[in-house]
């Protein structure tokens, strides 16, 4: 069941109706856990066993922390136990067994909980029902956001009331997610697949368009999924963690990583980077910490060495950015241009976008040979491959999204009413655009494979 | 009291949203479908002509290979019968059956149908073309107007049937085509679209070495048989033809088509390897204008000879 299918929409509708018809909060949560397990088990039944195993390990570890004097060995054992299924399925590639969907996401949710309890950041959760729902809540199980216990568990304690605001904003999030996936990502994907799968036959201009479109595709695909998850959660009264904050408007690599896949990179920040010493340490140690985070981040995406190279690429960019920050500042100052200058900010945004987009090549191509092949061909300029109809549909969607994000970026700290639109208009416009311009057969979300 | 008021407000909002959505779908989707069905120029205009106005005595059916290979003027002159080429890029047996049924439903009955055969008329499609979805998408603005097109939808998965309740969905990915064809100056003609030039990138002498087959799609076999039955019950002469190709056509799929043709006494002309001259091809699978001219001459004389023998 794909999240953009009619089956999913019908499933969601039934879940929401039944959820609000159940008067008791415990039964509601029980219903959501059963539904989430059903959705998850629909993909492969053995996926469910691994999920339940992880839930069991993390939950019992939390309980044991209360009584155990030697907490350190316990936390190590718990984390190892949680990492075993991930390592076995993801990095050892068992033949005839598919990678359990979302295993990287829920393993990190469980590890985060165990560490939070170990560091006394949160209280131990005593309800297996609440804990199970926190880990396996169906909108976030496949590709996050990676929920935090401190944010999610308190929400599960109270009964969520049916409200127009939640339903309306949830529905709009859901529709924006569909719009980003079906109208933009799938359309961009048609061009990207055509060009990158036969990059030897395409010239530099086509490949540059392909790189640009891949950046838009991966953003709209993943942010689209995250919005669908957030929308589903919101319609049931839960606020899941926001995963994207207009990352392509970031003026630096460091800021980009605060706005891209926020739930993962804040996870790395809180559970890896800060415990290693964060940025309050000697420069060499700082670079080491950055390297650890980005290498782990690359490996989190998969066993392919291209992911590792992608991590190293971003590590190098981040280190260079830190090393050159004061000299770049002096250079700007010599021209009398302050940090608040709009042109300077725009230039920074463009440079960051180009650097990030180039890095996506490691994601898009299957091996380093292909990455180098694309780079070599970029210098060959000729008339590009332009499937006009598909690109026109993409452009319609892209312009709408760009307009929305520019307005949000410009007015995010000001009066929201200046950019808000009537909810009815938003819903109808989005539905009309999805139905008219969407590429419906675009397949599964990219991040479902991680 | 407050709770009841809240629920009433909520139900009102949901009702208004639903009404607005249905209204937008029916009005905007209705306009789009109307524009599609009433486009009289370009590719859509050509299809509309075939469904709503064609009366030629020879009808060519098939995919892009039919569209680019069958020079209707030559066939028409040789057979002394008017001829229409209704080939369409990426379409297979589903589209051809629905198109012919719609023509018959309107009362147009050709005397002779030449169907260009490719293996993907019976094998499972490995890409987004040559399948039921693409046939339904092409004809969906006609849903409700022709029983034959509705029947095509009825064999599709329930999700497709639900989605096609929306008029907007029926016009999915068609707006730009509609606008383009509305301003196109290509008026409906005999349908043949020649390709100029030569972009071939395979060695013609290496033909016959690569065979990649896919399993037979049972529903395609059923529709192939249905098309044959439709022609037989309407006393329409049907010919199956494999037009020249530069690359390989899977022979596993073609064997099944051959078998069905033999069982139903359908004349079958296999000209896959009739041309060895790469200059007659536009690309791996399509003839260019010169190739189409030569092929059409050969085809017309074969049809003529066959008709005389019969």
């Amino acid at each position: 069941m794909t999240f953009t299918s009619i089956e999913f929409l019908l499933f969601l509708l039934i879940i929401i109706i039944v959820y609000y018809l159940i008067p008791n909060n415990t039964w509601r949560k029980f219903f959501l856990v059963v539904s989430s397990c059903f959705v998850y088990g629909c993909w492969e039944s053995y996926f469910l066993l691994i999920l339940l195993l992880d839930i069991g390990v993390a939950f019992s570890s939390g309980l044991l922390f209360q009584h155990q004097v030697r907490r350190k060995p316990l936390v190590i054992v718990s984390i190892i136990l949680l990492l075993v299924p991930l390592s076995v399925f993801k990095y050892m590639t068992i033949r005839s067994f598919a990678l359990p969907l979302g295993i990287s996401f829920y393993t990190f949710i469980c590890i985060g909980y165990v560490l939070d309890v170990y560091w006394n950041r949160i209280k131990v959760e005593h309800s297996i029902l609440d804990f199970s729902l926190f880990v396996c809540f169906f909108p976030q199980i496949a590709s996050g956001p990676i929920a935090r216990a401190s944010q999610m568990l308190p929400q599960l304690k109270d009964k969520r009331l049916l409200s127009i605001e939640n339903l309306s904003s949830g529905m709009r999030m859901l529709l924006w997610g569909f719009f980003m996936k079906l109208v933009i990502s799938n359309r961009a994907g048609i061009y990207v697949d055509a060009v990158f799968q036969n990059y030897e036959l395409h010239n530099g201009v086509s490949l540059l368009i392909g790189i640009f479109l891949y950046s838009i595709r991966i953003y709209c695909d993943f942010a689209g999924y995250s919005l669908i998850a957030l929308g589903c959660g919101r319609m049931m009264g839960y606020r899941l963690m926001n995963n994207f904050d207009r990352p392509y408007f970031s003026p630096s690599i460091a800021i980009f990583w605060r706005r891209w896949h926020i739930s993962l990179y804040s996870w790395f920040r809180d559970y890896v980077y800060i415990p290693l010493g964060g940025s309050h340490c000697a420069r060499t140690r700082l670079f080491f910490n950055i390297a650890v985070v980005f290498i782990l981040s690359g490996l989190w995406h998969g066993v392919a060495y291209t992911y590792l190279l992608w991590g190293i690429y971003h590590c190098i960019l981040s280190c260079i950015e830190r090393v050159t920050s004061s000299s770049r500042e002096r250079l700007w100052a010599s021209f009398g241009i302050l940090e608040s200058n709009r042109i300077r900010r725009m230039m920074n945004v463009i440079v960051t976008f180009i650097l990030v987009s180039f890095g996506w090549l490691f994601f898009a191509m299957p091996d380093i040979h292909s990455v180098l092949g694309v780079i070599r061909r970029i210098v060959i300029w000729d008339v590009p491959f332009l499937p006009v109809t598909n690109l026109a549909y993409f452009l319609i969607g892209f312009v709408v999204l760009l307009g929305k994000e520019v307005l949000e970026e410009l007015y995010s700290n000001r009066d929201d009413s200046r950019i808000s639109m009537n909810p009815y208009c938003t819903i109808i416009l989005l539905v009309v655009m999805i139905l008219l311009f969407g590429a419906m057969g675009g397949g599964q979300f990219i991040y479902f494979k991680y | 009291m407050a709770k009841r008021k809240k629920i009433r407000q909520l139900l009102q909002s949901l009702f208004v949203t639903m009404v607005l959505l249905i209204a937008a779908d029916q009005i905007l989707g209705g306009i789009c479908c109307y524009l599609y069905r009433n486009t009289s120029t370009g590719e859509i205009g050509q299809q509309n002509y075939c469904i709503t106005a064609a009366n030629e005595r020879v009808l060519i059916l098939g995919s892009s290979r039919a569209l680019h290979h069958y020079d209707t003027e030559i066939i028409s002159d040789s057979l002394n019968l008017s001829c229409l080429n209704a080939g369409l890029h990426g379409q297979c047996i589903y589209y051809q059956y629905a198109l012919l049924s719609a023509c018959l439903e309107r009362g147009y009955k050709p005397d002779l149908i030449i169907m260009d055969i490719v293996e993907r008329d019976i094998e499972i499609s490995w890409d987004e073309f040559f399948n039921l979805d693409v046939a339904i998408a092409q004809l969906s603005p006609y849903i409700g107007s022709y029983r034959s097109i509705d029947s095509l939808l009825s064999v599709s998965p329930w999700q497709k049937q639900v989605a096609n309740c929306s008029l907007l969905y029926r016009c999915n990915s068609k707006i730009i085509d509609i606008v383009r064809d509305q301003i196109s100056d290509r008026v409906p003609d005999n349908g043949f679209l020649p390709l100029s030039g030569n972009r071939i990138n395979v060695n013609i002498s290496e033909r016959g070495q690569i065979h990649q087959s896919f399993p037979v799609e049972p529903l395609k076999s059923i529709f192939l048989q249905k098309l044959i039955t439709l022609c037989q019950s309407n006393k329409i002469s049907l010919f199956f033809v494999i037009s020249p190709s530069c690359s390989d056509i899977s022979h596993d799929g073609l064997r099944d088509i051959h078998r069905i043709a033999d069982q139903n006494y359908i004349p079958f002309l296999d000209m896959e390897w009739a041309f060895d001259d790469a200059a007659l091809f536009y690309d791996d699978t399509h003839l260019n204008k010169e190739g189409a001219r030569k092929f059409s001459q050969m085809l017309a004389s074969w049809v003529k000879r066959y008709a005389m023998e019969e």
Side-chain angles (χ1 to χ4, degrees), chain A residues 5-7 10 159 161-165 167 171 187 190 201 388-393 396 424-425 427-428 431-440, chain B residues 3 6-7 9-10 12-14 16-17 20-21 24-25 28 32 128 158-160 162-163 166-177 180 201:
Chain A
S5 63
I6 290 181
E7 294 100 304
L10 287 176
K159 185 178 164 183
L161 297 174
L162 178 64
S163 81
I164 298 177
E165 293 73 31
L167 278 181
M171 199 185 284
R187 291 276 172 204
I190 293 170
L201 306 174
V388 180
T389 311
N390 181 55
L391 285 181
Y393 287 121
I396 294 169
Y424 291 122
C425 286
I427 289 171
I428 286 159
V431 170
V432 168
M433 283 192 290
I434 291 165
L435 289 173
L436 279 182
F437 309 136
M440 304 300 184
Chain B
K3 196 179 171 187
K6 258 188 169 180
I7 290 175
Q9 275 181 340
L10 180 81
Q12 268 176 1
S13 305
L14 286 175
V16 171
T17 311
L20 288 174
L21 279 175
D25 182 72
L28 294 174
C32 293
E128 70 268 35
W158 67 268
Q159 296 92 331
K160 211 40 133 205
V162 171
S166 158
L167 295 184
L168 282 167
Y169 181 81
R170 290 182 196 172
C171 292
N172 174 260
S173 306
K174 291 189 178 73
I175 288 293
I176 290 174
D177 293 338
R180 184 198 62 205
N201 61 9

Side-chain angles (χ1 to χ4, degrees), chain A residues 1 13 24 81 106 145 199 224 237 244 260 264 286 289 307 316 328 335 344 362 365 368 382 410 423 432 437 447:
Chain A
M1 179 160 57
L13 184 71
N24 181 294
L81 281 175
Y106 64 73
Y199 68 91
F244 291 87
W260 177 276
L264 178 68
L286 169 68
N289 294 347
Y307 294 128
I316 293 168
R328 277 183 293 123
F335 293 111
R344 174 179 165 179
F362 294 105
M365 306 311 288
I368 190 69
D382 205 340
L410 291 176
V432 168
F437 309 136
Y447 261 71

Side-chain angles (χ1 to χ4, degrees), chain B:
Chain B
M1 198 64 181
K3 196 179 171 187
R4 191 173 281 183
K5 195 180 166 189
K6 258 188 169 180
I7 290 175
R8 202 174 59 227
Q9 275 181 340
L10 180 81
L11 290 174
Q12 268 176 1
S13 305
L14 286 175
F15 179 73
V16 171
T17 311
M18 286 308 295
V19 168
L20 288 174
L21 279 175
I22 292 169
D25 182 72
Q26 294 297 308
I27 295 167
L28 294 174
I31 292 170
C32 293
C33 286
Y34 174 84
L35 287 173
Y36 185 90
R37 287 197 305 261
N38 288 281
T39 300
S40 56
T41 46
E43 194 178 275
I44 301 171
Q46 189 68 43
Q47 177 187 266
N48 288 341
Y49 169 75
C50 182
I51 294 174
T52 61
N55 58 2
E56 282 77 359
R57 295 180 64 189
V58 179
L59 185 64
I60 314 284
L61 294 177
S63 60
S64 59
R65 279 163 54 78
L67 179 68
H68 302 307
H69 293 187
Y70 295 77
D71 189 328
T72 38
E73 247 180 61
I74 294 172
I75 296 168
S76 187
D77 288 347
S78 305
L79 302 179
N80 207 16
L81 293 170
S82 56
C83 178
L84 175 70
N85 188 329
L88 194 65
H89 174 70
Q91 295 294 350
C92 65
I93 187 68
Y94 299 118
Y95 174 80
Q96 288 134 26
Y97 171 78
L99 193 73
L100 177 64
S101 307
C103 289
L104 290 169
E105 214 175 310
R106 175 176 52 94
Y108 160 51
K109 194 180 86 170
D111 297 332
L112 168 66
I113 289 178
I114 299 171
M115 186 162 155
D116 186 80
I117 292 288
V118 288
E119 76 280 20
R120 290 167 81 183
D121 277 317
I122 199 158
E123 286 183 357
I124 286 172
S125 173
W126 42 265
D127 62 10
E128 70 268 35
F129 299 110
F130 295 89
N131 57 34
L132 184 59
D133 280 0
V134 79
I136 291 172
Q138 184 68 29
L139 295 166
S140 54
Y142 279 103
I143 290 170
S145 307
Y146 290 92
R147 279 195 312 276
S148 48
I149 294 170
D150 297 356
S151 73
L152 202 62
L153 185 66
S154 68
V155 294
S156 66
W158 67 268
Q159 296 92 331
K160 211 40 133 205
Q161 296 182 34
V162 171
N164 272 290
C165 292
S166 158
L167 295 184
L168 282 167
Y169 181 81
R170 290 182 196 172
C171 292
N172 174 260
S173 306
K174 291 189 178 73
I175 288 293
I176 290 174
D177 293 338
I178 292 171
V179 173
R180 184 198 62 205
D181 285 358
Q182 287 276 354
I183 55 173
S184 163
D185 52 7
R186 183 190 162 199
V187 289
D189 46 22
N190 51 24
F192 170 57
L193 206 63
L195 294 168
S196 301
N198 187 306
R199 289 186 190 176
I200 195 160
N201 61 9
V202 293
N203 188 350
I204 203 160
S205 61
E206 286 175 4
R207 276 192 309 197
Q209 291 174 10
I210 314 149
H211 291 284
Q212 195 183 5
S213 299
F214 290 87
V216 166
E217 187 174 316
L219 196 59
K220 282 185 176 176
S221 308
I222 293 169
F223 269 80
L224 190 65
Q225 186 59 57
K226 278 174 83 169
L227 185 130
I228 293 169
T229 311
L230 198 65
C231 289
Q232 287 171 342
S233 60
N234 283 282
K235 297 192 169 44
I236 300 169
S237 304
L238 176 65
F239 290 89
F240 283 173
V241 178
I242 301 176
S243 53
S245 175
C246 206
S247 64
D248 278 318
I249 296 176
S250 155
H251 289 248
D252 291 348
L254 289 179
R255 250 196 304 277
D256 283 288
I257 298 179
H258 255 296
R259 184 180 46 78
I260 293 171
D262 288 345
Q263 281 169 359
N264 292 279
Y265 308 105
I266 304 295
F268 201 116
L269 176 63
D270 186 350
M271 293 183 69
E272 184 190 355
W273 290 349
F275 294 165
D276 283 330
D277 184 2
L280 297 173
F281 289 91
Y282 171 78
D283 61 18
D284 303 359
T285 47
H286 298 106
L287 294 169
N288 59 21
K289 194 175 179 177
E290 180 58 18
R293 192 183 61 76
K294 278 196 166 179
F295 163 68
S296 300
Q297 282 170 348
M298 290 164 78
L299 172 81
S301 61
W302 177 75
V303 172
K304 222 169 163 177
R305 205 168 50 241
Y306 187 88
M308 281 166 77
E309 280 171 16
E310 284 292 297

